[in-house]
Amino acid sequence: DQQVKQNSPSLSVQEGRISILNCDYTNSMFDYFLWYKKYPAEGPTFLISISSIKDKNEDGRFTVFLNKSAKHLSLHIVPSQPGDSAVYFCAAYRDDKIIFGKGTRLHILP
Amino acid sequence: DAMVIQNPRYQVTQFGKPVTLSCSQTLNHNVMYWYQQKSSQAPKLLFHYYDKDFNNEADTPDNFQSRRPNTSFCFLDIRSPGLGDAAMYLCATSRAPGQVNEKLFFGSGTQLSVL
């Protein structure tokens, strides 16, 4: 049973535009949420996180929004750059574990 | 640079032949994790060590074992690999679980093929 769901396997966005990656979760007890970015042949790297008590966290071009009532979070990247092309994993933390979604492959088009 | 190192990058083994994957870290983190990731699937936690305490996930097959001889090293042993065990195996570390905003640092992974 997937507790963290990323329903879009891939997303293509024009360079300079906004990329929005979505994530849904089923467990309302998650303490905080994270986004990881993965390039081919590399391990995932931490991108940004948000505590369950907040609804927004911003770090440069990256902003994560959390809607607890909808059990939904999203990652906004603006403006999108070619180096943002990667797989993005949404993850959630509870009970000493980080649970990942399947990932969304983001393609930034020239 | 402090990092998490996994060897080898690619590992090929035969059906039923034991195989060991290794992970080392220079971050001096207390926790080391092993994740299994199959193609287009979410990374799945197999187990983790908090210092010397081993924590197995309930649905991790007995075929998978782990050893952590010291803070820096952690091994994943697959006693009798089956075709379904072909996957990317990711090692990760963190300072300690249970802290808000604790995050994982990953190695580059070992891609295991079973022939």
Side-chain angles (χ1 to χ4, degrees):
Chain A
D1 182 32
Q2 271 189 277
Q3 296 189 60
V4 179
K5 301 177 185 179
Q6 293 178 260
N7 292 319
S8 298
S10 68
L11 175 68
S12 294
V13 174
Q14 206 80 33
E15 182 180 354
R17 298 284 184 99
I18 183 171
S19 296
I20 300 176
L21 297 103
N22 293 304
C23 177
D24 298 296
Y25 61 95
T26 58
N27 191 337
S28 59
M29 300 300 291
F30 285 130
D31 297 310
Y32 65 94
F33 303 88
L34 311 94
W35 285 91
Y36 280 80
K37 177 179 179 179
K38 185 181 184 303
Y39 292 120
E42 295 182 14
T45 55
F46 171 76
L47 189 58
I48 192 170
S49 65
I50 186 168
S51 167
S52 60
I53 62 173
K54 294 188 174 182
D55 55 18
K56 178 182 175 181
N57 188 27
E58 192 171 353
D59 183 4
R61 295 186 299 115
F62 303 91
T63 303
V64 58
F65 295 93
L66 175 62
N67 182 334
K68 288 190 70 176
S69 61
K71 296 193 179 70
H72 177 84
L73 64 156
S74 60
L75 173 68
H76 293 214
I77 307 172
V78 55
S80 300
Q81 298 176 354
D84 296 330
S85 293
V87 176
Y88 289 79
F89 290 100
C90 174
Y93 178 92
R94 179 173 179 257
D95 294 338
D96 301 346
K97 300 174 194 175
I98 293 182
I99 299 170
F100 287 86
K102 291 185 177 182
T104 296
R105 185 176 298 278
L106 177 64
H107 300 270
I108 304 302
L109 306 172
Chain B
D1 278 347
M3 54 200 309
V4 181
I5 302 165
Q6 289 189 246
N7 286 306
R9 185 71 182 87
Y10 299 94
Q11 176 74 56
V12 180
T13 190
Q14 291 181 324
F15 183 94
K17 185 175 181 182
V19 66
T20 295
L21 310 181
S22 72
C23 177
S24 64
Q25 54 131 343
T26 60
L27 297 160
N28 204 32
H29 283 172
N30 298 112
V31 192
M32 296 187 77
Y33 304 80
W34 280 103
Y35 282 84
Q36 178 195 62
Q37 186 186 13
K38 297 186 179 180
S39 181
S40 300
Q41 297 294 313
K44 178 179 177 299
L45 181 63
L46 295 174
F47 28 58
H48 73 276
Y49 272 95
Y50 187 178
D51 293 330
K52 294 182 180 180
D53 292 333
F54 178 69
N55 298 273
N56 198 29
E57 292 301 299
D59 57 353
T60 298
D62 292 340
N63 199 24
F64 291 85
Q65 305 285 319
S66 187
R67 296 171 283 135
R68 189 178 185 186
N70 53 53
T71 301
S72 301
F73 285 88
C74 194
F75 300 98
L76 170 61
D77 301 308
I78 309 176
R79 293 191 297 188
S80 182
L83 299 178
D85 296 328
M88 171 71 79
Y89 289 88
L90 294 163
C91 174
T93 71
S94 69
R95 287 171 299 181
Q99 297 180 15
V100 174
N101 288 331
E102 188 57 47
K103 53 183 180 279
L104 302 180
F105 293 81
F106 282 88
S108 297
T110 293
Q111 183 67 50
L112 177 69
S113 299
V114 181
L115 304 179

